[in-house]
Amino acid sequence: MSKVLCALAVSVDGYITGRDSGPDRGLGDAPMLFDWYFDGDTPSQVFDGFKLSAPSAKMFDALAGRVGAVIAGHKTYDDSSHFGGGSPHAKAPLVVLSHGPVAEISEQQTLANTIEDAVAAASAIAGGKDVGLMGGGVVTAALKAGLVDELVLHQVPILLGSGRPFFQELPEQVRLNLVEAVPAPGVTHLHYAVVR
């Protein structure tokens, strides 16, 4: 059965974008959150063009190789220029979670109106692989619904001070077990299992 996981780059103070992020502006004033994708000499075996440090490549490829479908929220979808009609993951179709109409949904993308429907749709098209979550709102909605199995924080050593937070307000505490902590140049990979 597919697991539901989220692996996002995040600042030490919990932001996944900087100030003024959005369409044609990417992460705003926080492009350094993605520097670790390109600051090494080990090519990713999953994502073309990524050259990571050896410890980051091992962690990144192990996670990315598990993903068979991705769920992104409407805001992330818009801010990412609709992923060019595809997906942020070259080998995993995209499900867009939105409570209203969405511009430019392609044949390669699926629209869902609730997090439960999004996870069900993504699981069905994941081909037995796992479902990846993208965006703070999607992660929070999935946590509230009790649907998340694993969280990975690719923690970059910077305090951004503002931006879009990884997590939004939750109705109750969510306990985590640390599975693995991998220090690497420019990032520490923190892999947690959600305790149910």
Side-chain angles (χ1 to χ4, degrees):
M1 180 165 173
S2 295
K3 288 189 174 183
V4 177
L5 64 96
C6 178
L8 294 177
V10 60
S11 66
V12 172
D13 54 348
Y15 294 101
I16 56 174
T17 72
R19 295 169 184 83
D20 199 32
S21 63
D24 302 319
R25 296 188 306 273
L27 297 174
D29 68 351
M32 76 290 295
L33 290 178
F34 289 168
D35 284 354
W36 62 276
Y37 289 158
F38 310 104
D39 68 357
D41 55 9
T42 305
S44 170
Q45 300 302 304
V46 180
F47 276 65
D48 290 338
F50 283 29
K51 290 189 82 173
L52 308 102
S53 69
S56 287
K58 182 179 177 185
M59 175 74 144
F60 179 84
D61 284 351
L63 290 166
R66 292 173 46 190
V67 174
V70 176
I71 300 170
H74 194 163
K75 179 94 173 125
T76 300
Y77 175 77
D78 284 344
D79 287 356
S80 301
S81 301
H82 312 136
F83 299 106
S87 172
H89 190 303
K91 299 175 183 170
L94 177 68
V95 176
V96 179
L97 174 61
S98 178
H99 303 296
V102 176
E104 300 181 26
I105 288 286
S106 76
E107 297 174 354
Q108 301 165 5
Q109 299 169 334
T110 303
L111 181 63
N113 299 111
T114 68
I115 190 63
E116 292 84 0
D117 289 345
V119 169
S123 296
I125 60 178
K129 289 190 165 190
D130 294 335
V131 173
L133 303 175
M134 188 172 182
V138 166
V139 174
T140 301
L143 284 167
K144 286 179 180 178
L147 298 172
V148 180
D149 298 298
E150 299 174 34
L151 289 169
V152 179
L153 284 67
H154 301 296
Q155 191 176 67
V156 176
I158 189 166
L159 298 170
L160 292 176
S162 185
R164 191 173 309 145
F166 194 138
F167 303 103
Q168 299 168 10
E169 186 174 331
L170 293 166
E172 58 189 29
Q173 295 177 350
V174 176
R175 295 211 177 266
L176 306 172
N177 280 336
L178 182 64
V179 174
E180 185 177 24
V182 178
V187 64
T188 301
H189 308 284
L190 302 169
H191 184 176
Y192 296 97
V194 176
V195 177
R196 292 212 175 95

